[in-house]
Amino acid sequence: MAQNAPPQDTIARGSGQDGKFIYDRWMGSQGVPVHRGYFIEDLRTIEVGPWAERECNAAFVQLEGMEGVAEARVTEILGGGTVPPMKFALDEVIYTIAGSGICTVWADGVSKHSFEFGPRSLFLIPRGAYRQFSNARGDQALRMLHNNYLPVAMSLEPDPDFYFNNSYAHPELLTPREDELYAVAKRAPSMGRGATWYGNFFTDMAGWDDLVPHRQRGGGGHVVDVSFPNSQMGGHMSVFPPGTYKKGHRHGPGRVIVIPGGEGYSIMWPEGGEKVIAPWHESSMFTPPDRWFHQHFNVSVAPARYLALA
């Protein structure tokens, strides 16, 4: 079986004389750890380093299957800490790896709005909005996983200032009805497969219920789709019983998969190629490479969950 490392003959599909994507060069210039391979066994324990510009600890995660498509970034705020506000030009989905925090969002002409979040919370910060994060506890670090499509965007516009110092705003994205702004997501039975939960705040993905059967991927499995307002980003969460597996399938690159609960492993392989085994438990992460088949197996005594962000 292949190990957790990319094949030696991998060819960088980038631009410029060094063959790298524009995003890769920017990422490498930030001076924080970059984790590669096929999977991360535990996002709660991977090495992070000081990111002076953001006044926090951080690490980039760029697995096989993410290159040039999706960004995954871990940020860590120590107990009682607050990071400076930042504005970002793209939609960004955030999943709480560990700890509890407070997020404040606003836009030019729109008042600040704050909300609390805890372990395994999922929420979206809309494009063009300011955001500021604080650790709500003094006795433990807050770790968050950030997911966006900055690599694709930087292939079109390579200047980082376009994304981090852009004056263009979308105040309308932060001015819905008051009960909708970072209120708990609600079921929208008319959307998707009938189990779509719609909103910009999901309290705890390990306890999210009211799913529908999804037997196309294996007996006993259930699914819930995640849809964010005014955004093309979203995903789904699949839940399947102990001792069962999901049928093998494949799709395009860039799907960030994180585990809210359960224990098991996934097998990934290119058609006719060698297999890679990715063991997982809570806070594991992996990304099936482009058009690789993959299959998930639950070996725990409780239902297992995987959250696929796209």
Side-chain angles (χ1 to χ4, degrees):
M1 295 296 178
Q3 302 300 311
N4 184 24
Q8 295 299 310
D9 61 351
T10 296
I11 299 175
R13 302 175 301 279
S15 60
Q17 294 182 350
D18 58 2
K20 293 182 178 179
F21 289 103
I22 298 294
Y23 170 83
D24 292 345
R25 296 202 288 269
W26 172 82
M27 177 179 64
S29 72
Q30 300 307 299
V32 300
V34 179
H35 297 275
R36 305 181 188 274
Y38 287 109
F39 62 90
I40 300 294
E41 186 168 352
D42 200 329
L43 291 167
R44 297 170 295 189
T45 59
I46 62 168
E47 178 191 5
V48 295
W51 197 359
E53 181 181 349
R54 305 285 174 86
E55 299 183 20
C56 65
N57 294 323
F60 292 95
V61 179
Q62 188 175 79
L63 304 181
E64 290 291 302
M66 295 178 59
E67 308 97 324
V69 180
E71 176 180 81
R73 185 181 76 253
V74 174
T75 59
E76 179 185 77
I77 304 173
L78 299 180
T82 296
V83 297
M86 186 193 76
K87 186 178 182 183
F88 186 48
L90 304 177
D91 289 348
E92 184 168 70
V93 174
I94 296 170
Y95 176 82
T96 314
I97 302 166
S100 300
I102 300 171
C103 179
T104 301
V105 296
W106 70 95
D108 296 332
V110 179
S111 299
K112 293 183 177 181
H113 180 91
S114 297
F115 62 95
E116 298 182 16
F117 58 92
R120 300 171 299 275
S121 292
L122 180 74
F123 55 93
L124 178 131
I125 306 294
R127 54 199 178 275
Y130 291 96
R131 75 287 316 271
Q132 186 171 31
F133 297 102
S134 299
N135 189 336
R137 297 186 57 166
D139 60 344
Q140 69 178 91
L142 167 65
R143 279 200 178 195
M144 299 173 289
L145 176 68
H146 305 251
N147 176 223
N148 59 63
Y149 287 104
L150 183 58
V152 170
M154 291 190 82
S155 294
L156 302 174
E157 170 50 67
D159 186 354
D161 283 344
F162 182 86
Y163 306 101
F164 302 111
N165 293 304
N166 194 324
S167 61
Y168 190 80
H170 284 280
E172 75 281 1
L173 300 180
L174 291 176
T175 53
R177 296 200 312 265
E178 182 61 29
D179 62 347
E180 292 180 348
L181 187 59
Y182 293 102
V184 176
K186 301 177 177 63
R187 184 172 181 178
S190 62
M191 298 175 64
R193 291 175 278 196
T196 297
W197 285 84
Y198 177 82
N200 51 14
F201 182 56
F202 298 77
T203 52
D204 184 349
M205 298 306 291
W208 209 262
D209 293 317
D210 200 5
L211 297 84
V212 298
H214 189 45
R215 306 198 185 284
Q216 297 94 321
R217 293 278 175 84
H222 289 72
V223 69
V224 60
D225 292 317
V226 172
S227 179
F228 298 110
N230 304 304
S231 178
Q232 291 297 302
M233 297 193 73
H236 71 275
M237 184 173 66
S238 184
V239 181
F240 56 115
T244 63
Y245 61 88
K246 308 291 288 187
K247 294 180 179 179
H249 59 286
R250 61 180 177 176
H251 46 63
R255 292 344 191 243
V256 170
I257 299 177
V258 63
I259 306 298
E263 182 178 357
Y265 62 93
S266 294
I267 301 177
M268 306 183 294
W269 70 97
E271 187 167 1
E274 189 176 9
K275 292 180 171 62
V276 173
I277 296 179
W280 45 257
H281 51 70
E282 182 180 346
S283 295
S284 297
M285 175 190 153
F286 59 97
T287 298
D290 184 27
R291 304 301 294 168
W292 278 36
F293 290 100
H294 47 283
Q295 194 169 9
H296 314 299
F297 297 80
N298 180 5
V299 301
S300 59
V301 297
R305 296 175 177 238
Y306 66 82
L307 173 64
L309 303 176

